[in-house]
């Protein structure tokens, strides 16, 4: 197609003219972006076809990763890099007077996810392809991804995300592969000879149309597929007003639910879940039968991974297919089903465990409900044999109990593997949340500590640091990220440390410029960039961060001469639209920022910046510029975290609790190169079980906290006095569920230590270097290799392997 920049330019100009009927000088930046995108997608198509053909011919086992979210962000630059044509394209465009960054700016983020869970799915796809593994994603093509956040007067406004407004250049609509998904109706049971036959009658059908996105591996010619389903009206007749039916149908793939922890309890959400799994299974089985032909061998040739419980209906759906369509017996169907599914648990927060009321579930999915009932009966029977007479025990483990279907139980019972996402999280699952299931089938449980793709979060997001690493230790680390350990000998090489400092400084200046453009705020690029970027949640404790900032402010006001290194606090966070408390925290951050940023007495020393609309592409700008990574969740609440890993990989030093993957980060870098504070998970869980925490005591005895809480309600902040009452209530009246006041003193101390460490330039750079050097373990390549060998049983059999 093109192999140098001159060929590229010719092809680009020709395609632009053909596609838009314009000459180059008449074209807009958007025309140019679409031209380039279409060109690259076509460039990919040969490898895409070859990869599929290779899988078909070798008949190798395939993995399907089912997820209700895929938070891809922008894909243009990543594709160019993975294809190895970034420089050709960049130079070719530059000859034409086009900056590749300008085209990248035009590309909308594909924001089909809320946060960590969706981004994990995107990182996993990148690693699967880059490792040459046969793994594909299945998701929903939401017409509107996560809302766009605007801040007005300190309050969050939510605007619909219009990422598809100008079309999406990477997708290929495959209408001929559409499938029909039934809802509602009734089940008729007839007896034919020995067998019962079930028919789903009077169903209302929705057509699921697949849109395929190529997932390009790094420099290895592998292109896997992310298949996103769109809901459209079905050609089958319906028994209701057609306009009403059309609206209801299209709603299924209209919006991503803007919440990743609370269960909406909405029929629409359940419809989305069944829509995803029913469409995906039909297409997985169709392609399997084309390749192999024997449905009874399914579990040997296919693995279906369910990312959290949202796609857990795939389990009864496969049972339905085997029982009703292939007429296998229950035992055999169950054997195949349980051999096919694996499940990742993402949280132990009880409010986030999905439970569907029977009165909603049963009418919407009548046949699926019957199958779950049967599964439940058989499972309870099995438990009865093992624990005769222990009704409470059995009741606690049942799939259906107390009028609800428990999705986590369904997922555990129907899978051969259940994994947590960081060591402590898996331990908590085994010891507490899923203790009974663990005792019943310990062999299912395993840990897979999360990871992030170093290709996006280092190679692409931080080309300056990437070049420095490659110049220093060669480029093996790009293929084997754990080789970044080879940077450790440079710990005492002051010339290298200076270069590291130059890179960080450059990234900080770039971010400072962005903040000036976007927020109109001038920040000092030599100050400490102290960063907390993640969804806004009580358990993530942005409140602890802002209370600490108020404390610093009070200290500086009291004693202007006190020893304090200038700091810029940077926040990025979306709050779920219905999460009232989280929105109050956003407002509080803005009120404190308003107060501090305008006070001439401290403005050289503290700045508070809230960057609106946090998303993947913004994360790529903020993270490389960070000095301190705030990972301060209440211990035991953050399953893993992945933001912590991205920041570590870019040389930020963690200030955090012993929670999630922070624990493993500490093991890698050593206790001297991370700042740990606060209650341990055990201590938190002990308080939760036995009581003994009284937040009021902290209010009365810690004058710093008393002053800060008073300042939230006495007119000190530039807002009406009762604005922050819900926050004060959460701390005092509601006894501070997340132990903010309890951990405050410990946090103040550790932050002071972090500040002093920063002042010692060489020491800080060594800490930063150790974080970078030890971050290779947290590449999702390591995570995916573990899934592949320990759960899925797949390996790289591609002809071109990705070995350098
Ligand atoms: C990585 C990432 C997250 C997850 O961050 P945590 O700190 O692990 O909660 C959320 N949102 C975006 C845009 C991300 O890139």
């Amino acid at each position: 197609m093109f192999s140098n920049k001159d060929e590229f330019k010719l092809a680009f100009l020709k395609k632009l003219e053909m596609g838009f009927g314009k000459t180059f000088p008449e074209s807009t930046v958007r025309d140019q972006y679409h031209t380039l995108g279409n060109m690259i997608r076509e460039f990919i198509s040969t490898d895409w076809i070859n990869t599929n053909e290779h899988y078909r011919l070798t008949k190798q086992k395939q993995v399907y990763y089912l997820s209700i979210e895929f938070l891809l962000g922008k894909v243009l630059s990543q594709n160019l890099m993975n294809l190895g044509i970034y420089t050709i394209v960049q130079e070719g465009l530059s000859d034409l007077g086009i900056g590749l960054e300008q085209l990248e700016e035009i590309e909308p983020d594909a924001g089909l996810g809320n946060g960590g869970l969706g981004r994990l799915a995107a990182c996993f796809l990148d690693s699967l392809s880059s490792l040459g593994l046969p793994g594909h994603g299945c998701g929903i093509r939401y017409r509107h991804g996560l809302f766009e956040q605007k801040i007005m007067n300190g309050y969050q406004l939510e605007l619909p995300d219009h990422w598809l407004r100008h079309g999406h250049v990477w997708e290929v609509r495959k209408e001929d592969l559409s499938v029909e998904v039934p809802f509602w109706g009734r089940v008729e049971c007839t007896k034919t000879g020995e067998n019962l036959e079930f028919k789903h009658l009077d169903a209302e059908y929705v057509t699921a149309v697949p849109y395929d996105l190529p997932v390009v591996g790094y420099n290895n010619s592998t292109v896997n597929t992310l298949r996103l389903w769109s809901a459209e009206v079905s050609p089958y007749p319906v028994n209701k007003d057609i306009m009403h039916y059309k609206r209801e149908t299209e709603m299924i793939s209209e919006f991503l639910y803007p919440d990743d922890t609370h269960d909406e309890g909405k029929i629409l959400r359940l419809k989305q879940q069944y829509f995803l799994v029913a469409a995906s299974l039909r297409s997985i089985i169709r392609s399997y039968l084309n390749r192999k032909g024997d449905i009874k061998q399914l579990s040997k040739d296919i693995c279906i991974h369910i990312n959290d419980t949202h796609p857990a209906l795939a389990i009864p759906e496969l049972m339905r297919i085997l029982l009703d369509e292939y007429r296998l017996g229950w035992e055999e169907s169950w054997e195949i089903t349980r051999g096919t599914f694996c499940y990742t648990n993402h949280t132990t927060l009880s409010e986030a465990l999905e439970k569907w009321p029977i009165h909603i579930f049963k009418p919407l999915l009548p046949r699926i409900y019957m199958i779950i009932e049967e599964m439940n009966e058989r499972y309870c029977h099995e438990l009865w044999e093992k624990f005769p007479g222990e009704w409470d025990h059995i009741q606690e483990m049942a799939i259906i109990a107390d009028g609800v279907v428990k999705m986590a139980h369904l997922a555990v019972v129907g899978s051969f593997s259940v994994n947590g996402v960081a060591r402590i999280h898996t331990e908590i699952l085994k010891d507490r949340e899923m203790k009974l299931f663990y005792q019943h089938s310990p062999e299912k449980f395993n840990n897979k500590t999360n990871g992030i793709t170093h290709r996006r979060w280092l190679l692409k997001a931080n080309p300056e640091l990437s070049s420095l690493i490659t110049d220093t230790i060669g480029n093996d680390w790009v293929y084997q990220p754990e080789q970044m350990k080879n940077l450790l000998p440079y710990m005492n090489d002051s010339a290298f440390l200076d270069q590291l400092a130059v890179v960080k400084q450059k990234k900080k200046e770039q971010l400072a410029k962005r903040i000036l453009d976007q927020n109109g705020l001038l920040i000092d690029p030599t100050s400490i960039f102290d960063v907390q970027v993640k969804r806004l949640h009580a358990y993530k404790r942005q409140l602890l961060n802002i209370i600490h900032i108020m404390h610093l402010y009070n200290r500086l006001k009291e004693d202007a001469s006190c020893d304090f290194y200038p700091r810029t606090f940077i926040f990025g966070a979306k709050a779920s639209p219905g999460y009232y408390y989280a929105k109050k925290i956003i407002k509080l951050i803005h009120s404190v920022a308003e107060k501090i940023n305008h006070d001439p007495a401290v403005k050289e020393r503290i700045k508070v910046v809230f960057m609106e609309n946090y998303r993947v592409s913004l994360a790529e700008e903020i993270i490389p510029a960070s000095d301190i990574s705030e990972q301060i969740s209440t211990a035991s609440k953050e399953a893993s975290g992945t933001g912590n890993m991205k920041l570590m990989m870019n040389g930020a030093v963690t200030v955090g609790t012993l929670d999630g993957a922070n624990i493993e980060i500490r093991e890698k870098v050593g206790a001297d190169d991370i700042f740990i504070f606060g209650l341990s998970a055990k201590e938190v869980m002990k308080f939760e079980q036995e009581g003994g925490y009284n937040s009021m005591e902290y209010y009365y005895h810690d004058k710093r906290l008393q002053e800060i809480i008073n300042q939230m309600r006495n007119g000190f902040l530039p807002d009406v006095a009762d604005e922050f009452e819900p926050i004060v209530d959460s701390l005092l009246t509601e006894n501070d569920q997340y132990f903010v006041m309890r951990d405050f003193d410990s946090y103040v101390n550790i932050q002071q230590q972090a500040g002093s460490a920063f002042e010692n330039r060489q020491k800080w750079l060594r800490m930063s270097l150790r974080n970078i050097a030890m971050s290779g373990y947290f590449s999702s390549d390591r995570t995916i290799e573990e899934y592949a060998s320990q759960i899925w049983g797949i390996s790289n059999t591609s002809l071109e392997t990705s070995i350098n």
Side-chain angles (χ1 to χ4, degrees):
M1 211 172 173
F2 57 86
S3 49
N4 59 49
K5 74 169 177 175
D6 293 319
E7 285 175 25
F8 166 76
K9 278 190 291 188
L10 281 178
F12 177 79
L13 291 174
K14 185 159 169 223
K15 183 137 186 91
L16 180 71
E17 284 182 8
M18 293 198 309
F20 291 91
K22 293 181 190 175
T23 62
F24 172 60
E26 292 169 322
S27 65
T28 65
V29 181
R30 175 154 284 119
D31 298 338
Q32 294 160 8
Y33 166 72
H34 280 263
T35 301
L36 179 62
N38 283 313
M39 239 176 115
I40 302 307
R41 200 197 58 242
E42 287 167 17
F43 185 94
I44 292 167
S45 61
T46 312
D47 283 345
W48 202 359
I49 292 167
N50 289 342
T51 302
N52 282 326
E53 192 61 6
H54 175 68
Y55 293 155
R56 205 175 60 77
L57 292 175
T58 56
K59 300 180 189 288
Q60 57 186 305
K61 188 172 190 179
Q62 303 287 304
V63 169
Y64 296 90
Y65 195 82
L66 268 55
S67 179
I68 203 87
E69 301 188 6
F70 284 92
L71 191 48
L72 300 168
K74 304 189 187 216
V75 283
L76 173 63
S77 294
Q78 190 72 65
N79 280 345
L80 292 175
M81 274 186 181
N82 286 11
L83 292 165
I85 55 175
Y86 189 89
T87 312
I88 291 179
V89 168
Q90 186 183 37
E91 289 176 357
L93 289 173
S94 160
D95 283 1
L96 298 170
I98 305 170
L100 181 52
E101 332 73 62
Q102 289 166 282
L103 301 196
E104 208 191 351
E105 192 100 357
I106 291 276
E107 180 176 20
D109 272 49
L112 309 183
N114 279 292
L117 175 146
R119 184 56 228 175
L120 184 77
C123 284
F124 280 6
L125 292 182
D126 183 72
S127 286
L128 280 163
S129 288
S130 295
L131 295 168
L133 292 168
H136 314 276
C138 301
I140 295 176
R141 181 181 179 269
Y142 304 103
R143 231 156 61 79
H144 304 284
L146 187 59
F147 65 86
E148 182 186 337
Q149 179 192 54
K150 285 256 181 267
I151 302 293
M152 283 278 271
N153 192 26
Y155 296 101
Q156 167 177 296
L157 292 185
E158 298 110 27
L159 307 179
D161 161 51
H162 281 294
W163 73 293
L164 291 172
R165 184 180 323 194
H166 304 284
H168 185 50
V169 298
W170 304 107
E171 68 186 12
V172 183
R173 180 179 164 96
K174 301 232 170 114
E175 206 168 328
D176 56 319
L177 299 181
S178 298
V179 299
E180 297 294 315
V181 178
F183 293 102
W184 311 108
R186 62 194 171 87
V187 177
E188 193 183 77
C189 174
T190 51
K191 195 157 183 183
T192 49
E194 283 297 285
N195 299 320
L196 291 177
E197 190 174 314
F198 294 91
K199 281 214 176 81
H200 189 173
L201 301 175
D202 303 332
E204 185 179 302
Y205 284 90
V206 170
T207 301
V209 181
Y211 285 75
D212 284 357
L213 305 184
V215 183
V216 179
Y218 186 81
N219 196 19
N220 68 353
S221 302
T222 298
V223 181
N224 290 326
T225 302
L226 169 57
R227 176 159 285 179
L228 299 178
W229 296 98
S230 177
E232 299 186 6
V233 293
S234 163
Y236 288 91
V238 278
N239 253 339
K240 61 162 85 157
D241 174 59
I242 186 75
M243 286 317 289
H244 183 65
Y245 162 70
K246 184 171 190 293
R247 256 194 316 279
E248 272 190 355
T249 297
E250 288 170 355
M251 272 308 284
I252 294 175
S253 55
E254 192 74 8
F255 289 102
L256 165 78
Y257 269 90
D259 196 321
D260 49 1
T261 49
H262 301 257
D263 170 20
E264 261 67 23
K266 299 254 170 62
I267 290 185
L268 183 56
R269 173 85 172 189
L270 187 58
K271 268 189 171 176
Q272 286 186 330
Q273 296 187 354
Y274 184 66
F275 174 75
L276 166 64
V277 306
S280 301
L281 278 183
R282 280 163 176 76
S283 117
I284 291 166
I285 289 175
R286 181 174 51 202
S287 113
Y288 168 69
L289 292 178
N290 276 337
R291 205 165 60 241
K292 280 271 194 166
D294 183 4
I295 194 78
K296 295 188 176 186
Q297 300 296 314
L298 190 78
S299 64
K300 294 189 186 60
D301 298 316
I302 296 267
C303 238
I304 301 178
H305 204 100
I306 54 183
N307 192 25
D308 213 327
T309 57
H310 321 116
L313 295 179
I315 292 164
E317 174 65 7
L318 180 58
M319 284 298 287
R320 187 197 63 76
I321 293 171
L322 298 173
L323 293 166
D324 297 358
E325 295 182 16
Y326 292 90
R327 321 218 127 265
L328 305 185
W330 183 278
E331 298 295 342
E332 192 174 15
S333 300
W334 185 236
E335 181 90 7
I336 295 170
T337 298
R338 223 175 19 179
T340 302
F341 288 101
C342 13
Y343 155 61
T344 296
N345 175 284
H346 280 270
T347 181
T348 54
L349 298 184
S350 55
E351 67 269 29
L353 289 179
E354 287 196 299
K355 296 183 181 93
W356 293 108
I358 294 171
H359 68 90
I360 287 182
F361 197 116
K362 194 171 170 181
L364 183 67
L365 305 167
R367 180 62 182 136
I368 297 301
Y369 183 75
M370 283 175 78
I371 290 171
I372 295 177
E373 255 185 335
E374 174 92 27
M375 281 171 62
N376 185 48
E377 258 169 50
R378 288 172 183 252
Y379 185 59
C380 290
H381 190 78
E382 181 187 322
L383 293 173
W384 180 257
E385 308 268 279
K386 190 161 169 181
F387 312 104
E390 295 184 43
W391 271 120
D392 290 350
H393 195 142
I394 295 168
Q395 168 93 353
E396 249 184 89
M397 295 176 76
I399 302 170
I400 304 175
D402 311 319
V404 294
V405 177
K406 298 182 174 174
M407 296 290 273
H409 297 193
L410 174 63
V412 173
V413 174
S415 304
F416 68 86
S417 165
V418 177
N419 74 281
V421 290
R423 199 199 305 130
I424 184 182
H425 169 59
T426 302
E427 290 308 312
I428 292 174
L429 283 182
K430 293 197 294 193
D431 294 351
R432 300 168 54 98
E433 303 302 318
M434 296 196 166
K435 186 170 182 173
L436 297 177
F437 292 97
Y438 175 62
Q439 287 171 346
H440 184 56
S441 31
E443 72 291 344
K444 282 189 187 181
F445 285 76
N446 64 93
N447 176 245
K448 296 287 167 284
T449 298
N450 280 168
I452 54 162
T453 167
H454 61 288
R455 285 167 293 273
R456 177 171 294 250
W457 297 106
L458 184 48
L459 206 54
K460 169 172 180 289
N462 199 341
E464 295 86 350
L465 180 56
S466 301
S467 298
L468 175 60
I469 297 172
T470 297
D471 291 347
T472 310
I473 60 169
N475 79 340
D476 287 0
W477 68 273
V478 175
Y479 298 91
Q480 291 159 352
E482 297 201 41
Q483 302 258 334
M484 281 196 280
K485 274 190 190 144
N486 293 337
L487 289 167
L488 288 175
Y490 295 84
M491 198 69 77
N492 294 309
D493 178 332
S494 63
F496 176 81
L497 294 180
D498 287 346
Q499 286 177 292
L500 189 60
V502 167
V503 166
K504 181 61 83 180
Q505 199 51 43
K506 182 159 177 211
K507 300 314 281 181
K508 288 169 75 173
E509 276 157 22
Q510 289 170 2
L511 183 62
K513 182 174 179 311
R514 162 73 68 183
I515 289 170
L516 182 60
D517 291 349
Q518 223 165 272
N519 297 46
L521 252 179
L522 197 59
I523 61 168
D524 172 5
T526 67
S527 63
I528 300 174
F529 282 18
D530 182 326
V531 170
Q532 189 173 21
V533 285
K534 48 182 77 251
R535 284 301 294 258
L536 214 137
H537 233 288
Y539 83 82
K540 291 177 182 282
R541 296 201 296 192
Q542 281 93 352
L543 179 58
L544 178 58
N545 190 342
I546 199 74
I547 283 180
H548 171 245
I549 296 169
M550 292 174 78
H551 160 69
L552 291 178
Y553 177 75
N554 291 337
R555 233 186 79 198
L556 287 176
K557 291 295 273 188
E558 235 167 64
D559 173 13
S561 69
C562 77
D563 178 40
F564 180 74
Y565 198 94
R567 266 201 214 208
T568 303
F569 293 92
I570 298 169
F571 290 88
K574 287 179 182 173
S576 190
Y579 193 173
Y580 177 72
Y581 181 78
K583 290 180 158 182
K584 285 287 174 189
I585 305 283
I586 289 182
K587 177 64 179 166
L588 178 62
I589 295 170
H590 281 89
S591 297
V592 173
E594 183 79 8
K595 179 93 187 169
I596 293 181
N597 296 345
H598 290 107
D599 186 337
V602 298
K603 76 185 191 11
E604 305 299 318
R605 309 175 82 177
I606 312 181
K607 278 267 159 41
V608 181
V609 183
F610 187 99
M611 298 193 75
E612 68 184 8
N613 204 27
Y614 184 60
R615 61 198 185 284
V616 172
S617 57
L618 186 57
E620 289 173 40
E621 293 187 57
I622 297 174
I623 288 169
S626 307
D627 295 310
I628 288 179
S629 162
E630 298 279 353
Q631 307 301 336
I632 59 178
S633 55
T634 308
S636 81
K637 305 294 178 201
E638 186 77 89
S640 163
T642 49
N644 46 4
M645 302 168 185
K646 299 167 195 167
L647 282 146
M648 171 196 194
M649 197 174 272
N650 282 277
V653 180
T654 304
V655 167
T657 47
L658 282 178
D659 199 18
N662 297 351
I663 293 173
E664 290 159 73
I665 290 177
R666 183 176 71 157
E667 269 169 34
K668 293 291 167 196
V669 298
D672 290 344
D673 292 324
I674 186 168
F675 297 98
I676 295 294
F677 74 98
L679 290 173
S680 68
K682 280 213 174 77
E683 290 165 333
V684 167
M685 293 188 292
K686 190 164 162 28
F687 275 130
E688 286 174 343
Q689 274 176 349
E690 299 171 14
Y693 174 54
N694 183 359
S695 67
M696 267 305 178
E697 285 173 17
Y698 289 81
Y699 178 76
Y700 287 122
H701 295 129
D702 190 327
K703 295 299 164 201
R704 302 166 301 179
L705 278 171
Q706 199 173 92
E707 181 178 11
I708 290 161
I709 289 173
N710 291 344
Q711 285 170 337
M712 289 184 195
R713 61 202 321 191
N714 66 8
F716 167 85
L717 293 172
D719 292 285
V720 281
D722 62 354
E723 178 78 52
F724 303 117
E725 259 343 82
I727 296 175
V728 174
D729 282 345
S730 78
L731 291 174
L732 303 181
T733 325
E734 292 153 31
N735 200 30
D736 184 21
Q737 195 191 340
Y738 293 101
F739 301 95
V740 170
M741 298 171 75
R742 173 65 216 247
D743 278 350
F744 171 75
D745 181 61
S746 165
Y747 185 56
V748 169
N749 290 333
I750 207 75
Q751 279 284 25
Q752 187 151 10
Q753 285 178 38
S756 320
F758 190 88
E759 286 188 58
N760 182 341
R761 251 354 246 150
Q762 293 298 303
K763 175 177 170 176
W764 186 267
L765 288 167
R766 283 197 296 271
M767 291 181 83
S768 175
L769 173 57
R770 194 187 296 277
N771 274 271
I772 297 165
M774 300 309 291
S775 69
Y777 177 79
F778 298 101
S779 165
S780 46
D781 286 7
R782 187 268 313 153
T783 314
I784 284 296
E785 273 163 351
E786 290 178 5
Y787 276 95
S789 65
Q790 297 165 22
I791 300 178
W792 301 329
I794 57 169
S795 56
N796 177 341
T797 62
S798 69
L799 300 173
E800 291 186 58
T801 55
S802 64
I803 301 306
N804 41 319

